[in-house]
Amino acid sequence: MYRPLLFAAVIAASLAAAQPPAAAPAQANHDLGFKDTPMLPGLPWHVHDPDRPHPPVVTPAPASSPAAPPSDAIVLFNGTDLSAWQSHYSTITRAGRPGPVEWKLVDGVVEVVPHTGDIATKKSFKDVQLHIEWSAPTPPVGNSQNRGNSGVLLMGLYEIQVLDPWENPTYADGQAGAIYGQWPPLANPGRKPGEWNSYDIIFEAPRMDGDKLLRPAYATVFFNGVLVQNHQELMGPMVYRAVAHYSAQPAEAPLVLQNHNSPVRFRNIWLRELSLDTSH
Ligand code: MG
């Protein structure tokens, strides 16, 4: 069940510790990351560390036509309408509420309209296999995190980063295919702006008992068919310039696409609900 107020409260709580400073020094350039952020637990890196190694660039197989969903998939967007979606609380401005989607539907793809909030599925999910395709704006505008930024937020909390992956230096834990702020992708198989990329994501929701973490979330991600996250344990919901940690959250929640004010395009979005607690 989608409980917007509770959900917004959970996100607000999870992001409360992640507020960036009121104003960075005007001359500061953080395109390549930060050294004044906390250390990631058990790792020799700061959050968004500019010295964290970047993965190798890999040329993916040539793009093919969109992958058709299997018979048991829930089709969230097939190019015709956005009836499965609603406008959503922004993960950037931390403002907004459910309402009609204001993103653009053009030629069978949906495009982010800056400053109109995120969008979220009306339905809530837990463990899923998700397929989604996206393309960065062309010509590219901006640098680093301001160039083609969006995100796929499982349960509205756990971000697989969407960012222009083509000759766009940024911190490793913030590039496309990263679990944002936590784990860089294992490779960068991203395509040029305007070309279509695909994510195939297997997401295992965390198991919580109130505030108590019973089992963390895990994500496996294929980026243009290349493995970039291998059953990776997540540290907690996405935060900026802070170390993620778990707190009470709904057992299931909507899938959210982030509005980071870049006109990123999406198409061919479907998922399969998984029943990973059931033995087979
Ligand atoms: Mg993002």
Side-chain angles (χ1 to χ4, degrees), residues 92 145 149-151 159-162 180 258 260:
I92 303 302
Q145 296 293 304
N149 194 337
S150 181
E159 182 177 14
I160 309 300
Q161 173 71 316
V162 167
Y180 183 81
Q258 184 184 64
H260 207 289

Side-chain angles (χ1 to χ4, degrees), residues 3-217:
R3 289 170 291 178
L5 289 177
L6 172 59
F7 191 62
V10 167
I11 291 188
S14 70
L15 292 179
Q19 293 281 350
Q27 70 276 29
N29 182 347
H30 293 301
D31 280 0
L32 298 181
F34 300 84
K35 295 299 270 187
D36 62 345
T37 44
M39 297 297 288
L40 287 161
L43 293 171
W45 312 114
H46 291 266
V47 177
H48 318 314
D49 199 318
D51 296 332
R52 196 170 185 179
H54 290 77
V57 173
V58 170
T59 303
S64 54
S65 54
S71 63
D72 63 348
I74 296 174
V75 176
L76 296 171
F77 177 64
N78 66 2
T80 58
D81 70 81
L82 287 162
S83 58
W85 300 83
Q86 61 187 352
S87 186
H88 180 260
Y89 175 94
S90 168
T91 52
I92 303 302
T93 64
R94 295 174 287 279
R97 65 182 67 176
V101 172
E102 296 181 71
W103 293 15
K104 260 194 308 201
L105 179 55
V106 185
D107 297 331
V109 304
V110 60
E111 181 179 302
V112 174
V113 174
H115 311 293
T116 61
D118 301 343
I119 64 171
T121 55
K122 293 174 181 171
K123 186 170 163 48
S124 291
F125 304 102
K126 191 167 68 171
D127 305 327
V128 295
Q129 173 188 343
L130 170 69
H131 177 89
I132 187 165
E133 299 175 21
W134 58 272
S135 72
T138 183
V141 174
N143 295 305
S144 183
Q145 296 293 304
N146 291 317
R147 180 166 146 187
N149 194 337
S150 181
V152 177
L153 288 118
L154 286 308
M155 305 185 82
L157 296 171
Y158 304 96
E159 182 177 14
I160 309 300
Q161 173 71 316
V162 167
L163 193 78
D164 188 334
W166 192 260
E167 298 176 354
N168 181 29
T170 191
Y171 41 89
D173 68 20
Q175 65 182 83
I179 297 170
Y180 183 81
Q182 302 179 25
W183 297 106
L186 296 170
N188 176 6
R191 297 194 172 101
K192 293 178 181 176
E195 297 183 5
W196 286 98
N197 298 284
S198 66
Y199 282 167
D200 287 281
I201 299 169
I202 300 161
F203 176 73
E204 301 177 30
R207 293 342 189 223
M208 308 282 301
D209 180 7
D211 269 327
K212 187 178 171 204
L213 179 66
L214 304 178
R215 197 176 75 116

